Amino acid sequence: MRNIPTLEELHELPQIQQPTYEDPAKAAQVVAQLRSLPPLVFVAESDSLRERIAQAAVGKSFILMGGDCAETFDGVTADNIMAKLRVLLSMSVVMTYAAQVPVVKIGRIAGQYAKPRSKNTETRDGVTLPAYRGDAVNGFEFTPESRRHDPERLIDSYNASAATLNLVRAFVSGGFADLRQIHAWNSSFVKDSHVEKKYEQMALEIDHAVRFMRACGVEDSTMSKVDFYSAHEALLLDYEHALTRIDSRTGRPYVTSGHMVWIGERNRQPNGAQVELLRHVYNPLGVKLGPTATVQDALEIADRLDPDRVPGRISFITRMGAAQVRDKLPAIIEGVEASGRKVAWICDPMHGNTIETANGFKTRRYEDVVEELNGFFDVHKQLGTWPGGVHLEQTGKDVTECIGGAFQLNEDDLVNRYETACDPRLNRNQSLELAFMVATRLNEFRNLDEENVPERNM
């Protein structure tokens, strides 16, 4: 077993994007309380997810990651959680049919309560206060009390995550995930929106397949139950360290705040505190790579986190931007593949495509999201590698935060239901439309396999 660094040792290393607590003794008390609480996820579930990600790395599955940019404590309601699950499950049905491989469903859920920020402060009408860093750190309301960094919020984050996971487990095992019901939602979306005809055809084909299974008497649990995993950015050292546990079966340490955690673009310093903590745990790990990342950056952090090259251990989540993905991504993929590593390549088409409108709203153009995804698929097609997944900021609600899509939301619509606590999310309709777009591209890779031209590099 590898030794786990102490929290004090981690605090001595380079670290960024961490809270600044006025009362260190109170923060230490909260961390001690967290250490006494039960794990939020089971180690065996993290091992199962790592095995499924290993399949995605060699073209035998596809990863769908999605959820809020920043979860909020107020968002922990049955209706809100149900809406998130519904849209992810609906998307996964379309992608599964197109790719003809299992879709690994991972939610940005039950832990995404902290966000890195580009500025430490925010100024409004001449008043400057600490920036909002997520409900795990401070409040969204623009007041000195709300914006104070409060360690008690770590306990609130734990409780909110526990409640969310409890409800998610009940939903996915209690019939909510029934394939026939999920497909009915997709059929309704296609019928009532203005999507392309080819999407209508795909929905019709899925309908025929579901009817065929029903006629054949397929009624086992695979029709109504799914495996669903949770993931978040491992940003807050105190929280993640406090929820690191030793597996009684193997003696290995795992972060038990989520099945998978990732390191953000701002925090992937190979000698930084986040990397130092996570290189000791056995969860599957994601690493965000932006347009400034090089092959050397990717290989250095992969070697640091995964020196033993464990299958499914590393996923690279690329966020290049629509304008740069075709130029920046090929060299990184080629370099990593040439090293002999097999990682899961996941496209985050959201973070590299954020803009600000003239009236001050942060938003994303649906067409830019699609363009980055198309670039991602095009690069993998050219290189003969497998596009392992997508990573989206989305919601199951009908918000107006991203412009474009089948319903042609424009900048004037943003004011109607702009509800995000941080970055703009795809709404339900935009998410489902994107699922059909991704499914179309996945279908191309399936056809290439069937023709064996070209053979994928696996």
Side-chain angles (χ1 to χ4, degrees):
M1 184 189 79
R2 299 184 226 174
N3 292 325
I4 307 170
T6 66
L7 190 56
E8 291 72 24
E9 289 171 334
L10 291 176
H11 283 162
E12 292 174 358
L13 296 175
Q15 54 181 315
I16 59 174
Q17 301 287 339
Q18 298 303 300
T20 52
Y21 298 125
E22 297 174 358
D23 187 349
K26 180 63 176 178
Q29 181 183 347
V30 167
V31 169
Q33 184 178 349
L34 283 169
R35 293 194 195 286
S36 70
L37 297 174
L40 286 170
V41 301
F42 303 110
V43 164
E45 294 171 338
S46 292
D47 288 341
S48 172
L49 177 57
R50 188 176 59 245
E51 293 168 1
R52 290 171 183 241
I53 293 173
Q55 294 295 296
V58 295
K60 295 182 179 179
S61 68
F62 186 79
I63 298 166
L64 171 61
M65 299 182 70
D68 288 320
C69 164
E71 293 179 281
T72 63
F73 299 154
D74 289 343
V76 184
T77 67
D79 287 345
N80 195 30
I81 295 167
M82 184 186 299
K84 293 180 190 180
L85 276 177
R86 178 180 292 171
V87 73
L88 279 168
L89 295 175
S90 298
M91 295 173 73
S92 72
V93 169
V94 178
M95 294 177 184
T96 302
Y97 179 80
Q100 298 288 289
V101 295
V103 170
V104 184
K105 294 164 278 291
I106 307 174
R108 288 174 57 108
I109 197 169
Q112 190 59 15
Y113 292 106
K115 288 290 293 182
R117 303 310 301 266
S118 57
K119 296 180 180 179
N120 289 327
T121 60
E122 178 183 358
T123 301
R124 299 184 190 178
D125 300 325
V127 177
T128 299
L129 294 175
Y132 172 66
R133 291 185 171 273
D135 278 11
V137 178
N138 56 0
F140 186 74
E141 186 180 0
F142 194 72
T143 64
E145 178 58 28
S146 175
R147 292 296 177 92
R148 181 178 61 86
H149 294 186
D150 181 2
E152 288 284 356
R153 286 177 169 270
L154 297 179
I155 301 296
D156 295 335
S157 295
Y158 174 92
N159 291 332
S161 298
T164 299
L165 287 168
N166 183 56
L167 198 53
V168 167
R169 291 186 175 110
F171 279 141
V172 299
S173 63
F176 180 78
D178 187 277
L179 174 62
R180 290 152 295 195
Q181 181 177 335
I182 294 169
H183 177 61
W185 297 329
N186 284 344
S187 297
S188 175
F189 162 73
V190 170
K191 181 177 64 176
D192 296 338
S193 63
H194 311 289
V195 296
E196 298 181 37
K197 287 292 183 183
K198 61 185 177 182
Y199 298 164
E200 294 183 32
Q201 179 61 35
M202 188 179 296
L204 182 61
E205 291 175 9
I206 297 172
D207 186 61
H208 289 163
V210 172
R211 290 174 184 271
F212 175 76
M213 286 188 287
R214 182 182 300 172
C216 291
V218 178
E219 295 289 346
D220 62 17
S221 61
T222 59
M223 293 282 284
S224 59
K225 296 181 181 180
V226 300
D227 291 323
F228 190 89
Y229 302 96
S230 70
H232 62 271
E233 182 176 355
L235 185 62
L236 302 181
L237 283 172
D238 291 12
Y239 184 77
E240 304 300 344
H241 192 275
L243 286 174
T244 298
R245 303 283 189 269
I246 304 299
D247 177 25
S248 60
R249 306 168 305 159
T250 63
R252 293 173 172 175
Y254 286 77
V255 170
T256 64
S257 60
H259 300 108
M260 174 187 185
V261 291
W262 72 81
I263 301 171
E265 167 76 355
R266 294 181 177 93
N267 292 67
R268 55 175 172 81
Q269 298 82 13
N271 296 313
Q274 269 94 355
V275 173
E276 178 62 22
L277 171 62
L278 295 184
R279 77 183 187 91
H280 290 85
V281 302
Y282 282 77
N283 304 66
L285 302 175
V287 180
K288 290 284 189 84
L289 298 177
T292 63
T294 65
V295 175
Q296 290 72 26
D297 292 335
L299 292 176
E300 183 178 7
I301 196 167
D303 289 342
R304 183 80 169 149
L305 293 170
D306 180 34
D308 300 327
R309 301 195 174 195
V310 176
R313 165 74 166 171
I314 298 293
S315 298
F316 281 134
I317 306 170
T318 62
R319 38 160 294 180
M320 302 294 173
Q324 300 189 73
V325 61
R326 288 179 173 84
D327 294 330
K328 302 289 187 179
L329 186 58
I332 294 177
I333 294 176
E334 287 180 308
V336 173
E337 290 283 323
S339 75
R341 281 194 175 273
K342 285 296 177 187
V343 304
W345 294 101
I346 302 173
C347 178
D348 169 2
M350 308 297 292
H351 285 90
N353 296 302
T354 306
I355 60 173
E356 186 169 327
T357 65
N359 54 355
F361 283 96
K362 187 191 294 187
T363 189
R364 288 154 177 159
R365 297 187 184 95
Y366 178 82
E367 62 187 35
D368 291 339
V369 173
V370 169
E371 177 61 19
E372 180 158 0
L373 277 169
N374 274 324
F376 174 77
F377 280 104
D378 288 344
V379 168
H380 282 284
K381 190 174 182 180
Q382 292 160 8
L383 298 178
T385 49
W386 176 248
V390 295
H391 180 119
L392 305 170
E393 289 187 338
Q394 61 185 159
T395 176
K397 300 191 294 183
D398 294 323
V399 299
T400 55
E401 296 171 3
C402 293
I403 57 179
F407 288 85
Q408 291 299 307
L409 295 180
N410 58 45
E411 293 185 12
D412 293 336
D413 295 317
L414 295 177
V415 70
N416 295 332
R417 290 194 64 182
Y418 196 95
E419 300 176 5
T420 182
C422 193
D423 290 338
R425 304 161 294 175
L426 299 172
N427 62 27
R428 170 183 175 269
N429 290 324
Q430 290 165 332
S431 297
L432 292 178
E433 183 179 0
L434 198 70
F436 279 95
M437 173 263 157
V438 170
T440 301
R441 297 307 309 262
L442 286 173
N443 195 46
E444 295 174 13
F445 281 80
R446 183 184 75 180
N447 291 338
L448 286 176
D449 257 6
E450 292 171 352
E451 297 169 4
N452 288 318
V453 180
E455 184 176 353
R456 284 210 304 264
N457 177 24
M458 295 177 190

